[in-house]
Amino acid sequence: MVLNPNTSHGMTASIGRAAQAVAGPATEILAVQPEFGPVSIEGFYDEAIAAAGVAARVRASDAQDIQGLALACFGDPGLDAAREALTCPVLGIAEAAFHAASMVSSGFSIVTTMTRTCVIAEHLVVKYGFERQCRGIHGTDVPVLALEAAGNGLQAQLFAACQEALEKDRSDAIVLGCAGMAPLCEALQQRLGVPVIDGVAAAVKLLEALHGLGLKTSKRCNYARPLEKTYLGWAAPLGWPRRA
Ligand code: 2AL
C-alpha cells in the first residue's frame, strides 16, 4: 500500500504510477489517501492534521492484506503511528530516500518544495541519523500542487536548483524532497549525471527487499500495538483495538 498523506487525488494517482513503474511482477500496488486533511502538506500544521488522516486510513485498512506500507510524503507524517498499528514493514519516503542515497554517494543534497518545509526535512535528517551524509537542504518555493502540472519551465527550475545544490554542497547525489517530484526523477538524473533519488520508488523497492527477507515490524516494545482506550469526539472510532 502506498499512502499519500495529502488529499490531492491527482497526486495520489501520480504517486501510484511512480510506485507501479518500479514494482516487481509479484507486487500489487494499492495507492490510497486519507478521507480528510490538507490537499498538500507544506508546514507543521498541515502535517499534524495529515498524520491523523494517515492514522485513520491505516486504521481503516485490512491489515491482513498489506505486506508493506510506504508513506508518500517527504515529512513522513504518522510514520511511527503506522508502525505501531501494523505488523508489516512501514517506510517513509524521506527515510527510504536517505538510506538509498547514502548507499550510492558519499553525501547528498535534498531539493524540496517550499523553503518553509526545509526545517521538516532537517528534523528528519537528525531523527534518522543522516547528519553526516546530508550536505544541504534546498527550498525552491515551488508549491506542492504546482508539481502536478509540471511543464518544462518547472523542470528547468528544479534542474538549476539541483545543479546549484551539488556545487554548493560538494555532494554526489540528489534526494527529491516531495512525492510530487517523482515523475521528474528520471529526466533530472539523465541531465545531472548523478544519482537522483525519488523516495516513492526507493520505498517500494526497499519494502520488496524487506518482504523478501521475511522481516516485519518488531512488536516487542517501542512499536507494540496501540493500547486499548477510549477516544473522544470525532476520533472516537479511531481507538484501538479495532471494533467490528
Ligand atoms: C510534500 C510531499 O511529499 N507531499 C506533500 O503534500 N508535501 N513534501 C514537501 N516537502 O512539500
Side-chain angles (χ1 to χ4, degrees), residues 6 11 40-41 72-74 112-113 117 144 177-179:
N6 78 36
M11 203 159 142
S40 63
I41 301 162
C73 170
F74 204 74
T112 188
T113 56
T117 70
V144 170
C178 181

Side-chain angles (χ1 to χ4, degrees), residues 45-224:
Y45 189 89
D46 291 346
E47 211 175 54
I49 307 297
V54 164
R57 189 61 190 78
V58 166
R59 180 75 175 65
S61 66
D62 186 349
Q64 306 299 331
D65 277 352
I66 306 172
Q67 306 294 307
L69 173 67
L71 272 187
C73 170
F74 204 74
D76 295 354
L79 176 62
D80 290 316
R83 281 212 178 113
E84 278 191 1
L86 297 170
T87 50
C88 67
V90 180
L91 295 183
I93 63 167
E95 180 186 42
F98 297 166
H99 280 275
S102 73
M103 292 178 210
V104 293
S105 71
S106 69
F108 60 85
S109 300
I110 301 170
V111 173
T112 188
T113 56
M114 306 300 284
T115 303
R116 63 178 291 163
T117 70
C118 288
V119 66
I120 294 176
E122 208 171 294
H123 288 176
L124 291 184
V125 165
V126 174
K127 178 181 175 188
Y128 301 141
F130 284 93
E131 297 99 318
R132 285 196 193 177
Q133 285 94 343
C134 178
R135 298 257 173 83
I137 304 172
H138 305 259
T140 56
D141 288 325
V142 172
V144 170
L145 294 185
L147 290 165
E148 282 193 45
N152 288 341
L154 200 56
Q155 198 196 111
Q157 186 184 346
L158 288 175
F159 173 72
C162 290
Q163 258 190 332
E164 201 181 314
L166 290 167
E167 270 175 42
K168 207 166 166 184
D169 300 346
R170 285 190 302 107
S171 60
D172 293 324
I174 295 288
V175 165
L176 298 178
C178 181
M181 292 178 179
L184 300 168
C185 184
E186 208 175 308
L188 286 172
Q189 180 163 273
Q190 258 175 25
R191 286 182 71 185
L192 291 163
V194 299
V196 177
I197 294 101
D198 155 46
V200 177
V204 168
K205 296 314 282 182
L206 290 175
L207 283 170
E208 285 180 345
L210 294 171
H211 180 70
L213 289 166
L215 294 173
K216 293 186 173 184
T217 298
S218 173
K219 294 283 130 186
R220 195 187 80 82
C221 180
N222 302 305
Y223 286 129

